[in-house]
């Protein structure tokens, strides 16, 4: 089994191996503090579906370019 280099960011959608372009930032208010952000990475193709999944549950906070994922 080979490990991916740490600098390769891949889409979080199941089975997708595309490069990540977007950081979908979210939190579950029942278990996370308001300032906590979990991150799913998304390619252009899966940005909408990953965002919609989280938004339906009230978890989506924002979507930013992957290079800005760790900024407030």
């Amino acid at each position: 089994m080979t490990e991916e280099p740490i600098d390769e960011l891949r889409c979080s959608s199941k089975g997708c191996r595309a490069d990540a372009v977007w950081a979908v930032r979210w939190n579950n208010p029942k278990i996370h503090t308001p300032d906590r952000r979990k991150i799913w990475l998304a390619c252009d193709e899966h940005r909408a579906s990953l965002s919609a999944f989280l938004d339906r549950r009230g978890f989506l906070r924002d979507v930013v370019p992957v290079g800005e994922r760790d900024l407030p």
Side-chain angles (χ1 to χ4, degrees), residues 9-61:
L9 301 174
R10 300 287 179 204
C11 180
S12 297
S13 187
K14 186 175 182 178
C16 185
R17 302 297 300 150
D19 290 338
V21 180
W22 301 101
V24 181
R25 300 191 302 188
W26 62 278
N27 81 357
N28 179 341
K30 290 182 180 181
I31 60 174
H32 300 127
T33 60
D35 60 327
R36 172 96 188 264
R37 292 295 179 267
K38 302 287 283 181
I39 298 173
W40 284 354
L41 299 175
C43 63
D44 280 330
E45 181 180 348
H46 293 112
R47 174 188 177 182
S49 61
L50 291 173
S51 296
F53 177 87
L54 293 166
D55 194 39
R56 282 191 301 273
R57 288 152 181 83
F59 296 171
L60 181 65
R61 298 300 169 249

